[in-house]
Amino acid sequence: MAYSNSQKEATARYNKKAYDRIEIKVKKGRKKEIVEFAKKKGAPSVNSFIVSLIEKAMNEEDT
């Protein structure tokens, strides 16, 4: 089943309303290492891996 332009646009509108974006920059070549490391740790995505690390650090700060 194809992903239509209207579906792409609807998804983009939803994401813009529902999420904030944070951009990070890493040296060339590091992205591949990070992706592989996140997979090795069982994360479904690099984004979820990074968010979980941030949440863990913030929870440690609260205790």
Side-chain angles (χ1 to χ4, degrees), residues 8-46:
K8 289 177 191 176
E9 291 168 5
T11 300
R13 281 193 307 274
Y14 173 79
N15 286 339
K16 190 172 185 173
K17 277 195 322 190
Y19 299 103
D20 287 327
R21 293 186 56 83
I22 300 172
E23 182 178 345
I24 64 168
K25 294 177 175 91
V26 296
K27 296 277 186 183
K28 287 280 186 188
R30 293 288 291 171
K31 179 181 175 183
K32 182 179 176 186
E33 292 177 61
I34 293 167
V35 169
E36 290 171 359
F37 187 76
K39 284 181 186 176
K40 187 172 90 171
K41 291 294 186 177
S45 67
V46 172

